[in-house]
Amino acid sequence: PLLYYHALPHGSLLRVTRNAVYGGKTDTIEIPETMSYVGYLRSGQESEGFVYVPGQEGLIVKHSARDDSVAVTKIELPWATSDVKFVSSDDSMAALKGDILYYKVVGADSFRNVILSEIGVTWKVNAIRAAGKSVYIASGDKMSAVLLIRDGFMKAIKALDKDIVGQVVGADNIVLISRPENTVSLVQLSNGFEHHSYTLDGEGDRGGIVSINTLPSSHPCSTVTTVKIPGLLISWEDESVTVVGATEKCGWEREESLANVRSATMLDLPASSVIPLNLNKPSNPIKMWTDRILCQLNDLQKFINQHFGAGYRDTSMEMERDSFNLNKLILVATKVGKVAVLHSISGRVLWSRYMDGIATLENGKYEIRLVRSASHYPLPPLVAIVAASKDNENTVLNVINPLDGSTQYNRVIKSKVAQVQLTTVEDSEAARILLLVTRDNKVHTYPPNSHSLIKDLPLYFALVYPDTMQLKGFSLTVTGESVMETWSTKFRGDKILSVATKATNDAVYSQGRVLGDRSVLHKYINPNLIAVAMETGTGDKGHVDILLYDMVSGIQIHTVRHKQYSGPVHLLLAENWMVYHLWSAKLRRYEIVVAEFYISHSSNSTSFSSLLPNLSPYAIQQSYISTTPLSALAVTSTLKSITNRAVLFAESGGRIASIPKQLLDPRRPTVPTAADKYEQLIPYSPLLVTPPVSYLTYNKTLFGIRDMITGSSGIESTSLLFVYGDDLYFTRVTPSKTFDMLNEDFDYYLIGIVLIGLCLGTIATQALADNKALNKKWK
Amino acid sequence: MIPVFLVVLLLELVTGQHAEYLINVEHKIGSGDWKQRATIILPSIKQSSLPSHNTPQYIPIPANEDIETLKRLGNNNSTLYHVRVPFKALEEGEGEVSNYVSVVVRACSIVESHLSHSLTLYMDSTGHMTGLSLLGSAEDCTGRTTDATSFTTQCHIAYPSVGSSPDVHSFIQVKEKEEKKKENTDSRSFLAKYWMYIVPVALIVMMSAGGQ
């Protein structure tokens, strides 16, 4: 195995593997197998690679470009035990052990060491970071120092009482940025003198620096006075870019992390932001009455202002739920650990925060759960975000208030998380108990130590193991502090392509389907289904298996094999049906298959239990040719699921098509009979055509679609869709048109006038008729 | 006719004496131990149209059925009943496997369906199990007990069903039929069809009108 290589001039390559060094003018040189590679240093014509055995000896492989020679020197490193970490910065290398700093520059044959207290660093140093050519930054708990290797010896040039990161710019300067105050200063390396202090707008942690570049002196942000002060372009770890200028009027900031969203969720806005309704604490009736009157007066004032106030714009209205609950807050978490909340009307970023030290879980996403909604004033709403730590060994739980981003609770759990479950049990503060199950089968809760509240909960879940191709079911033990395995199964395939379960709020409105001949097909409604798509073999010898299990009991419901098909497979489960999109290797086209599950007779019991199985469903399937590859698949979801469902196809080309479920109906007949026409079944056509009208993105293109989420709004006809990837897109989907909303051009005034006119007309004509009858009697 | 029948019978006998496949069905009540409940003998693991090849022979082991324990623990609604089979149907001489496919149901559901249920093994064409299905007739756990003293099991083997593919063939046939029907019908306009009769009638009318 190759440890490192670098290109030599004259086109040849210096390669260092675990066993030998190749290249240059020398023969191969043996390297013992136990060495682990450290780093690569370079200074002018000389370059070095370094390998060592912890605690024993190391080898320096030097290459000189002048005469293309490679030399290997042995070096003793009894101090370099396996807990010592080396940091290399361009042309030197350093390692911290206790309070002694070992360092070496290119060309030296051994490591020098220095006791940090002797060069002025008297406080405890936690870590050493590289900052550019021969410059290191030593950071302690509250202090930092800038260290420089000059003339072969390490010196401390500057000490500060803040936490700083830095990078060398130019020949003799270093930029130091202190966190979290975000002050940027330009310091001269030769004397530690601070040239200039820039002002950085914005607050909050941006993480470490990825790179700092100086702007040329011709740039308006750089000034050339007696001392050249360059403008700086800083690229941060949280994927934002800042330009700071020498003067205050120059500079900007740009947020780029929203192009790397990994997880998103939709949240309701709070109902009323003005008057706190102390509904939970009824005090004397007089106070309740005055509270209510004040609230109503306030509403009246807002109403008048809205309709008749000219140019009235109250931004606090933005944070209040509208009457149809169509405006939502969208909480997104990006790849680098930045969490932001966007407002769905304008896409405006309400707040964003960089959470240092978190990374996505193994499936590439975060787990976001709403622990407490905003309806429990004065308790703040809570959202829990579960992530892995940056070194992927631990789990980080952050609970924040989604309205302003403040952290309410933070915890690092020392093992990897396997599953996150939000229960319906609430604690005394109306926060739903969140369970984190870790790989060692232990259960951690938020709020912490709430095991007594969940101990009798019948909680079951399933875990997929793609490495060992297994599916296992677990259940909560009696004490609520751990889980135990209840069932397992093993797959015999090459790779698991996709796993799907139903949405937690998935509801079915009608239990059966009425056919054209007035008979009824009873739907098989099992909320605990899990579907696994698996591929074996490739191309003509491969096949794709779709297996459906009940997550609680492990009973297999259905299995389908598609011969000569392959992935990628997009799988969707909802109500009593399943839709999936796969590639036919034999016929070289994409296909969409829909399967619906029915039972042969309706069950008499009123409830469904996975652990009391007595129903055996059968499936009816149909398949269509699809014209495009997909990036994502989703289904609309509404409050009560009365509206027809539309399946949303996010095509790779960047458009989103909304296909009504009637087109994806396995009962579509090739030759319709009278009964089929009565049932209004669309005749079968093997090609699933998406008419241009069905594209939700009309003429826009969304680049790099990663995934999409749907949510329900306050009205039944409308479902909300949020698409994220390189672009962010939010829209409303109305699969049955807006049957419960009046049109925008509804003539309130005309109807009102006509109504009043008719009423007056009725009264007037009645009066006249009475008059006439009276006159007639007098004749 | 008869020679063909004899040949088929001979073939069946010959292949019937080919290696059989054994599947050990084990069960566990609550947190007890795994005990072998039955053995299933399969003549062949390939899906074939000959019914004798696919019908599994279910041989129960009554001594291990533990009916009393099941009835006793079945009163408690939370006791679980586990069933497992090895991951692979074993030929004679093959050793044990370490992977199992298992399912779990409530013990009371077994008791309340009077110990009668159907066990379906989902298998692929190489003899590997993908899943089990255990279905009873009980819909609710009301604490009834049963007089049955042993399990009544209907055992089935199920293979993966064939995935559907777009039915282009019959669609094309239907379209062709419609095309043919269209060709047969006359598509000329009314005037084009009946001008032979209209023109003389019009002439006569004009003549008689002109005569007046």
Side-chain angles (χ1 to χ4, degrees):
Chain A
L2 204 59
L3 286 181
Y4 77 97
Y5 67 90
H6 90 274
L8 304 172
H10 323 304
S12 56
L13 209 60
L14 176 73
R15 286 171 12 246
V16 180
T17 65
R18 281 215 184 273
N19 299 326
V21 179
Y22 303 91
K25 284 214 189 103
T26 59
D27 300 338
T28 58
I29 303 169
E30 294 292 323
I31 297 184
E33 278 210 11
T34 39
M35 306 241 167
S36 57
Y37 164 62
V38 173
Y40 171 64
L41 315 174
R42 188 187 187 120
S43 167
Q45 304 263 27
E46 316 286 325
S47 53
E48 282 181 16
F50 180 60
V51 289
Y52 76 112
V53 181
Q56 294 169 37
E57 56 180 12
L59 282 179
I60 305 173
V61 179
K62 291 189 208 176
H63 173 260
S64 168
R66 236 174 299 130
D67 53 3
D68 203 19
S69 61
V70 175
V72 177
T73 340
K74 271 218 182 72
I75 182 172
E76 294 292 323
L77 304 162
W79 48 268
T81 48
S82 42
D83 56 316
V84 166
K85 292 223 173 359
F86 282 89
V87 178
S88 64
S89 102
D90 274 359
D91 60 352
S92 63
M93 203 179 330
L96 181 72
K97 189 175 168 86
D99 58 350
I100 305 181
L101 187 63
Y102 294 88
Y103 59 95
K104 179 183 129 47
V105 290
V106 168
D109 273 336
S110 62
F111 273 81
R112 290 223 170 102
N113 60 12
V114 66
I115 304 180
L116 285 167
S117 43
E118 283 177 11
I119 50 171
V121 179
T122 47
W123 31 271
K124 178 172 177 302
V125 175
N126 292 335
I128 295 276
R129 262 186 247 133
K133 244 169 132 69
S134 295
V135 177
Y136 295 89
I137 296 187
S139 33
D141 286 327
K142 286 210 183 51
M143 305 274 297
S144 310
V146 180
L147 308 168
L148 169 67
I149 301 178
R150 190 181 293 138
D151 302 327
F153 289 94
M154 186 81 80
K155 291 190 178 46
I157 346 169
K158 199 173 172 69
L160 296 157
D161 58 349
K162 307 177 221 189
D163 179 27
I164 53 176
V165 293
Q167 183 151 331
V168 170
V169 289
D172 191 34
N173 292 321
I174 181 171
V175 172
L176 296 176
I177 302 183
S178 73
R179 293 152 68 179
E181 303 95 14
N182 283 342
T183 54
V184 184
S185 45
L186 187 67
V187 171
Q188 190 158 10
L189 279 173
S190 44
N191 50 16
F193 169 63
E194 182 181 299
H195 276 300
H196 184 79
S197 170
Y198 302 85
T199 41
L200 196 60
D201 283 332
E203 330 122 1
D205 195 8
R206 289 184 175 84
I209 301 179
V210 171
S211 70
I212 304 183
N213 294 323
T214 46
L215 302 173
S217 31
S218 53
H219 193 274
C221 280
S222 306
T223 60
V224 183
T225 52
T226 46
V227 185
K228 261 201 255 179
I229 311 271
L232 299 175
L233 179 81
I234 309 175
S235 159
W236 302 87
E237 243 176 28
D238 73 341
E239 290 187 335
S240 61
V241 178
T242 326
V243 157
V244 272
T247 53
E248 279 209 20
K249 53 181 159 74
C250 192
W252 47 261
E253 181 175 358
R254 196 178 161 87
E255 180 63 67
E256 299 291 351
S257 60
L258 289 181
N260 275 326
V261 172
R262 290 292 183 266
S263 298
T265 184
M266 292 190 206
L267 304 166
D268 285 339
L269 288 161
S272 163
S273 60
V274 181
I275 291 195
L277 298 168
N278 286 334
L279 297 168
N280 292 335
K281 300 184 194 116
S283 40
N284 58 339
I286 304 287
K287 183 150 191 330
M288 282 166 67
W289 185 81
T290 48
D291 269 348
R292 182 169 63 87
I293 296 292
L294 278 174
C295 205
Q296 285 169 343
L297 280 177
N298 206 7
D299 280 345
L300 183 66
Q301 184 190 22
K302 262 195 287 189
F303 176 78
I304 294 176
N305 279 331
Q306 252 181 337
H307 287 264
F308 303 113
Y312 178 81
R313 184 79 74 87
D314 184 3
T315 46
S316 74
M317 292 282 295
E318 196 184 50
M319 283 303 288
E320 210 175 287
R321 197 184 299 185
D322 63 315
S323 49
F324 288 150
N325 200 4
L326 288 168
N327 301 330
K328 303 269 186 185
L329 292 177
I330 305 170
L331 185 112
V332 294
T334 67
K335 180 178 80 162
V336 290
K338 193 134 195 197
V339 178
V341 161
L342 311 164
H343 199 286
S344 69
I345 293 187
S346 51
R348 183 171 82 88
V349 177
L350 249 59
W351 58 262
S352 71
R353 247 188 70 191
Y354 177 65
M355 294 192 176
D356 205 351
I358 64 172
T360 52
L361 300 166
E362 274 171 3
N363 61 353
K365 291 178 181 270
Y366 300 91
E367 292 291 330
I368 306 179
R369 298 281 189 275
L370 181 70
V371 171
R372 183 164 64 212
S373 67
S375 341
H376 303 275
Y377 194 91
L379 297 166
L382 296 175
V383 169
I385 302 176
V386 180
S389 59
K390 272 238 161 74
D391 56 9
N392 212 16
E393 292 300 319
N394 305 324
T395 308
V396 180
L397 170 67
N398 271 316
V399 181
I400 59 174
N401 176 347
L403 298 178
D404 56 15
S406 53
T407 306
Q408 307 288 321
Y409 178 77
N410 187 326
R411 185 162 159 216
V412 176
I413 299 172
K414 292 246 178 306
S415 53
K416 291 199 205 179
V417 69
Q419 167 96 184
V420 176
Q421 289 265 354
L422 187 67
T423 60
T424 45
V425 179
E426 293 184 2
D427 72 344
S428 53
E429 291 197 332
R432 289 165 68 169
I433 314 265
L434 181 76
L435 302 182
L436 269 91
V437 182
T438 49
R439 292 267 170 103
D440 50 3
N441 285 356
K442 291 234 178 350
V443 174
H444 303 261
T445 63
Y446 171 79
N449 296 326
S450 319
H451 296 281
S452 52
L453 291 168
I454 51 151
K455 64 179 169 52
D456 285 322
L457 205 61
L459 190 87
Y460 301 86
F461 62 89
L463 288 182
V464 181
Y465 296 83
D467 321 319
T468 52
M469 298 294 282
Q470 283 181 309
L471 181 66
K472 293 192 190 173
F474 294 84
S475 85
L476 202 61
T477 54
V478 177
T479 55
E481 288 180 19
S482 59
V483 294
M484 62 178 187
E485 186 182 312
T486 47
W487 59 268
S488 76
T489 180
K490 189 163 160 65
F491 304 122
R492 196 170 164 273
D494 288 342
K495 194 167 98 147
I496 294 185
L497 295 170
S498 174
V499 176
T501 51
K502 292 195 195 173
T504 34
N505 57 349
D506 191 74
V508 185
Y509 188 61
S510 68
Q511 270 216 327
R513 187 176 170 166
V514 181
L515 305 181
D517 55 358
R518 310 298 174 96
S519 63
V520 176
L521 281 179
H522 300 276
K523 297 183 185 173
Y524 174 70
I525 303 167
N526 181 347
N528 302 324
L529 285 178
I530 182 168
V532 179
M534 192 167 74
E535 102 177 320
T536 317
T538 48
D540 275 357
K541 303 235 177 41
H543 51 86
V544 168
D545 288 310
I546 312 276
L547 304 123
L548 217 64
Y549 294 87
D550 179 313
M551 269 198 282
V552 174
S553 57
I555 290 179
Q556 184 156 3
I557 307 290
H558 183 61
T559 163
V560 183
R561 171 166 291 194
H562 289 271
K563 290 209 169 95
Q564 293 177 316
Y565 279 72
S566 75
V569 173
H570 294 270
L571 194 52
L572 177 71
L573 266 181
E575 294 187 356
N576 69 323
W577 46 264
M578 172 167 84
V579 166
Y580 51 97
H581 171 100
L582 66 175
W583 167 255
S584 164
K586 173 167 129 196
L587 295 164
R588 296 208 208 292
R589 61 189 187 199
Y590 289 98
E591 292 183 9
I592 297 176
V593 182
V594 60
E596 285 187 1
F597 301 100
Y598 295 99
I599 46 183
S600 36
H601 58 273
S602 74
S603 61
N604 287 331
S605 74
T606 49
S607 63
F608 173 86
S609 170
S610 285
L611 289 173
L612 294 165
N614 57 349
L615 300 169
S616 175
Y618 63 91
I620 44 178
Q621 303 178 54
Q622 205 173 58
S623 150
Y624 316 90
I625 303 173
S626 156
T627 46
T628 57
L630 294 188
S631 300
L633 195 60
V635 68
T636 56
S637 75
T638 51
L639 266 186
K640 297 208 184 349
S641 305
I642 304 174
T643 326
N644 292 331
R645 300 270 193 161
V647 180
L648 304 166
F649 290 86
E651 301 178 358
S652 303
R655 300 184 297 182
I656 311 225
S658 160
I659 306 288
K661 180 68 178 58
Q662 289 94 311
L663 272 177
L664 293 169
D665 187 351
R667 297 199 67 248
R668 279 175 68 182
T670 319
V671 181
T673 63
D676 294 333
K677 289 196 189 119
Y678 183 74
E679 205 184 319
Q680 291 181 335
L681 292 175
I682 304 171
Y684 176 71
S685 147
L687 184 66
L688 193 70
V689 181
T690 46
V693 195
S694 66
Y695 283 111
L696 296 172
T697 49
Y698 39 104
N699 70 336
K700 293 192 191 298
T701 312
L702 303 177
F703 290 102
I705 297 179
R706 188 173 282 277
D707 206 353
M708 42 188 191
I709 56 169
T710 54
S712 57
S713 66
I715 45 178
E716 177 56 36
S717 61
T718 313
S719 171
L720 304 167
L721 171 71
F722 178 64
V723 183
Y724 55 90
D726 288 350
D727 287 331
L728 303 176
Y729 188 74
F730 183 88
T731 185
R732 302 176 195 167
V733 189
T734 49
S736 305
K737 310 275 167 37
T738 50
F739 59 80
D740 53 1
M741 248 184 6
L742 293 174
N743 289 340
E744 278 178 2
D745 54 355
F746 190 78
D747 263 331
Y748 292 100
Y749 296 116
L750 184 64
I751 292 182
I753 289 172
V754 166
L755 204 64
I756 294 174
L758 281 175
C759 284
L760 291 175
T762 313
I763 299 171
T765 46
Q766 182 150 40
L768 285 173
D770 281 346
N771 226 2
K772 190 167 180 190
L774 190 62
N775 285 343
K776 214 173 178 191
K777 287 206 178 121
W778 276 111
K779 286 216 171 100
Chain B
M1 186 59 187
I2 294 185
V4 172
F5 176 69
L6 280 174
V7 167
V8 168
L9 194 61
L10 196 67
L11 272 173
E12 216 181 282
L13 282 172
V14 166
T15 50
Q17 281 171 0
H18 187 56
E20 292 175 330
Y21 293 85
L22 283 174
I23 303 169
N24 287 341
V25 180
E26 295 177 332
H27 73 158
K28 176 167 95 153
I29 305 168
S31 48
D33 293 324
W34 286 102
K35 292 208 184 122
Q36 186 168 353
R37 174 176 142 168
T39 308
I40 298 178
I41 299 181
L42 266 186
S44 139
I45 52 172
K46 295 231 181 296
Q47 204 171 359
S48 84
S49 48
L50 291 168
S52 65
H53 276 207
N54 275 358
T55 318
Q57 220 180 331
Y58 182 84
I59 304 169
I61 302 174
N64 282 348
E65 278 183 4
D66 275 346
I67 302 294
E68 292 307 310
T69 328
L70 187 62
K71 282 192 197 172
R72 187 171 34 94
L73 292 175
N75 280 333
N76 181 358
N77 266 359
S78 64
T79 318
L80 296 176
Y81 176 75
H82 306 249
V83 174
R84 78 176 180 190
V85 294
F87 170 53
K88 187 177 177 329
L90 299 168
E91 285 187 76
E92 289 178 32
E94 262 186 272
E96 291 281 311
V97 285
S98 53
N99 280 314
Y100 293 93
V101 172
S102 61
V103 289
V104 67
V105 292
R106 286 236 178 95
C108 58
S109 91
I110 304 284
V111 171
E112 296 206 11
S113 29
H114 302 291
L115 303 180
S116 152
H117 45 259
S118 82
L119 177 72
T120 310
L121 278 77
Y122 287 87
M123 206 164 74
D124 73 2
S125 50
T126 57
H128 287 84
M129 304 291 157
T130 54
L132 291 177
S133 174
L134 192 67
L135 296 173
S137 54
E139 290 169 353
D140 229 340
C141 264
T142 52
R144 292 188 301 255
T145 186
T146 178
D147 297 329
T149 49
S150 65
F151 288 122
T152 320
T153 320
Q154 293 113 38
C155 179
H156 309 281
I157 306 280
Y159 294 91
S161 51
V162 177
S164 69
S165 63
D167 200 1
V168 186
H169 191 60
S170 35
F171 180 73
I172 293 180
Q173 276 183 337
V174 167
K175 284 291 170 218
E176 281 178 357
K177 266 196 218 148
E178 277 182 24
E179 287 257 336
K180 269 205 209 127
K181 250 202 258 173
K182 259 199 179 167
E183 276 175 36
N184 291 340
T185 59
D186 209 353
S187 56
R188 300 181 296 178
S189 70
F190 176 76
L191 203 56
K193 275 189 276 192
Y194 297 114
W195 67 273
M196 286 188 288
Y197 312 104
I198 295 174
V199 167
V201 171
L203 279 172
I204 294 170
V205 168
M206 275 201 293
M207 299 289 210
S208 54
Q212 267 181 11

